[in-house]
Amino acid sequence: MTVYDNGPLLVRGDFEIHTQDGAVVDRNRATMALCRCGRSAIAPLCDGNHKLGHRGAEKHLG
């Protein structure tokens, strides 16, 4: 997982994402961009709305 400065979390590899209700988020690619600013209209996926002012440091996790 990579946290991009002023952007999404990019998740790569073999993984499964669940909503808070337990539903599996459909995955149609090997890399997914997850919203961390809360502005995405397609949450939990990123739709680029972070460009409106989200701030956060880039970090590599895991």
Side-chain angles (χ1 to χ4, degrees), residues 1-12 36 50 54-60:
M1 182 180 299
T2 304
V3 181
Y4 281 90
D5 188 27
N6 300 321
L9 296 172
L10 281 190
V11 184
R12 296 175 177 93
R36 15 180 227 139
H50 58 272
H54 179 72
R55 297 285 178 227
E58 182 172 323
K59 298 176 184 175
H60 293 275

Side-chain angles (χ1 to χ4, degrees), residues 13-58:
D14 187 22
F15 60 90
E16 189 171 84
I17 297 174
H18 297 257
T19 66
Q20 65 186 25
D21 298 331
V24 176
V25 175
D26 286 334
R27 187 175 150 201
N28 59 3
R29 55 187 66 180
T31 301
M32 291 180 71
L34 302 177
C35 176
R36 15 180 227 139
C37 73
R39 294 185 175 116
S40 178
I42 58 170
L45 305 177
C46 175
D47 68 0
N49 277 322
H50 58 272
K51 295 175 185 176
L52 299 174
H54 179 72
R55 297 285 178 227
E58 182 172 323

